[in-house]
Amino acid sequence: MSENVIYKIGITHGDINGISYEVIIKALADNRIIDLCTPIIYGNSKIVQFYKRIVEIPEFSFQIINNVDTPSLKKVNLLNISEKDILVEPGKTTYDAGHLAELSLNYACRDLKSDKIHAIVTAPINKSNMPRESFKFPGHTEFFSAQFNASNSMMLMITDTLKVGFVTQHLPLSAVANQISCDVILKKLKILHTSLLKDFLIVNPKIAVLSLNPHAGDEGIIGFEEGNTIIPAIQKAWNESVNAFGPFAADGFFGSGEYRKYDAVLAMYHDQGMIPFKLLSQNEGVNFTAGLPIVRTSPAHGTAYDIAGKNKADERSFRNAIYWAIDIVKNRNS
């Protein structure tokens, strides 16, 4: 693909009662964005106007389009996914908000499958108000994996200096140990290794693998998963030319700064990786779904109902999600 391509980046509006529109407007008000891509919001013009008054950026403008084939260059574009009058209730979880979030996803996926957009950036949804009869997924990662028949995908949190992948994702802690096996860890290591090569152009990447138990199991005193499962997976990874190291006890690994020696980290479960990532990323981290045939990113935060409609949301993560989507598409086409 030519270096002169202006990438079309689809943006789903997420939960309309959360901070999605606030961070979308604030991020896209930065004119550097439209110099790099053509943003297309799958949303509603009336909702944009509602939040535009709240964020007090009157100069923010957008072009309404009927399809994504010929969007306006050097402008923010908006595809109206619904012409109905919509009640916006910041901070509240409602059926209409969930329905519109799913509608936005479906429209964007349709265009992504048809190669009408180059990548997608998703604003946060509230899983509890998504239509249960049609949205049967614990999150965006699983939704996109199903949409694009990608059984080998993984949530990967990214900044310029830290990348954290996960063996298990949206599971209760009580279910984690039973879902971890040598084969699963090896599969995740291979997904992460491939993504580092292809999506981030890292040569000969080094991956640190975290332990499951405190103190890396203390040689079996606290747990046996390290010796029975994680170490064999690391050894198999080496046999397949994946440079994996560990297992490392998570507290010391992050607390000592050891993570700086590696290109990525593989955590065993959600909070083990997310807590240090969010502390270290300082509101600038991004969620990327590795292993998909398409590029999808999102900000590393949720709907934040507690500050919705109060003009308090920080847009840096969302802006970075757009930048990363552009960079990864370019890397894949380089």
Side-chain angles (χ1 to χ4, degrees):
M1 195 172 288
S2 169
E3 284 295 315
N4 296 322
V5 169
I6 300 297
Y7 295 100
K8 292 189 283 188
I9 306 298
I11 296 172
T12 60
H13 69 177
D15 191 309
I16 64 171
N17 294 328
I19 62 170
S20 294
Y21 271 97
E22 181 177 336
V23 296
I24 290 171
I25 293 168
K26 287 180 176 178
L28 296 180
D30 184 338
N31 287 329
R32 291 174 298 177
I33 295 284
I34 58 174
D35 287 334
L36 297 172
C37 72
T38 299
I40 301 170
I41 304 169
Y42 291 81
N44 179 272
S45 57
K46 293 179 182 178
I47 301 176
V48 175
Q49 296 294 357
F50 177 90
Y51 280 103
K52 187 174 156 181
R53 289 189 291 270
I54 289 175
V55 299
E56 299 177 346
I57 307 179
E59 67 276 13
F60 175 77
S61 63
F62 58 94
Q63 180 73 33
I64 298 175
I65 56 175
N66 295 319
N67 61 69
V68 300
D69 294 324
T70 54
S72 297
L73 301 180
K74 298 293 183 179
K75 289 184 180 180
V76 175
N77 295 265
L78 184 137
L79 181 73
N80 266 322
I81 61 170
S82 176
E83 298 295 340
K84 294 180 180 179
D85 288 332
I86 299 162
L87 179 62
V88 182
E89 301 179 89
K92 293 186 179 180
T93 176
T94 65
Y95 171 82
D96 283 345
H99 169 69
L100 286 170
E102 183 185 40
L103 197 60
S104 179
L105 280 170
N106 289 339
Y107 271 82
C109 272
R110 175 201 65 187
D111 290 340
L112 201 55
K113 289 175 180 178
S114 301
D115 296 322
K116 293 184 177 182
I117 56 177
H118 295 97
I120 189 167
V121 179
T122 59
I125 59 174
N126 176 1
K127 290 89 169 177
S128 68
N129 68 12
M130 297 293 283
R132 296 293 178 87
E133 64 278 5
S134 53
F135 193 89
K136 303 178 185 298
F137 309 97
H140 277 117
T141 301
E142 295 81 4
F143 169 80
F144 282 101
S145 298
Q147 286 288 318
F148 292 92
N149 299 314
S151 57
N152 295 331
S153 63
M154 181 176 62
M155 182 168 69
L156 180 58
M157 308 305 296
I158 58 176
T159 68
D160 287 331
T161 57
L162 178 62
K163 294 169 180 60
V164 181
F166 300 81
V167 176
T168 61
Q169 293 167 172
H170 299 110
L171 285 179
L173 192 56
S174 59
V176 168
N178 289 334
Q179 295 298 314
I180 290 176
S181 68
C182 182
D183 288 343
V184 169
I185 294 171
L186 179 60
K187 182 186 295 184
K188 296 297 184 180
L189 280 169
K190 290 163 73 173
I191 296 169
L192 183 52
H193 173 77
T194 300
S195 183
L196 293 171
L197 291 171
K198 180 175 67 172
D199 299 324
F200 303 98
L201 305 184
I202 297 173
V203 178
N204 201 28
K206 295 167 58 179
I207 302 171
V209 182
L210 300 183
S211 63
L212 174 66
N213 299 299
H215 304 174
D218 259 350
E219 298 184 0
I221 295 174
I222 299 177
F224 298 98
E225 286 83 1
E226 284 70 26
N228 294 346
T229 305
I230 301 176
I231 291 174
I234 292 172
Q235 292 170 339
K236 286 185 177 181
W238 273 96
N239 293 336
E240 298 196 29
S241 300
V242 176
N243 299 328
F245 302 84
F248 300 100
D251 57 347
F253 180 80
F254 287 105
S256 66
E258 186 77 4
Y259 67 90
R260 298 188 184 95
K261 299 178 182 178
Y262 300 90
D263 298 298
V265 180
L266 184 66
M268 292 295 119
Y269 57 92
H270 185 278
D271 284 13
Q272 184 186 52
M274 288 297 290
I275 292 172
F277 178 84
K278 288 194 172 184
L279 286 170
L280 292 166
S281 67
Q282 296 293 307
N283 295 321
E284 295 194 351
V286 169
N287 183 349
F288 166 60
T289 307
L292 293 179
I294 54 90
V295 175
R296 175 260 166 172
T297 63
S298 72
H301 59 68
T303 55
Y305 283 149
D306 57 320
I307 61 170
K310 299 177 181 178
N311 197 18
K312 293 182 178 180
D314 188 325
E315 77 279 10
R316 285 176 294 170
S317 181
F318 198 90
R319 182 184 296 118
N320 286 343
I322 298 172
Y323 285 146
W324 273 114
I326 298 166
D327 286 347
I328 294 169
V329 170
K330 286 181 177 179
N331 290 343
R332 288 190 178 187
N333 290 311
S334 64

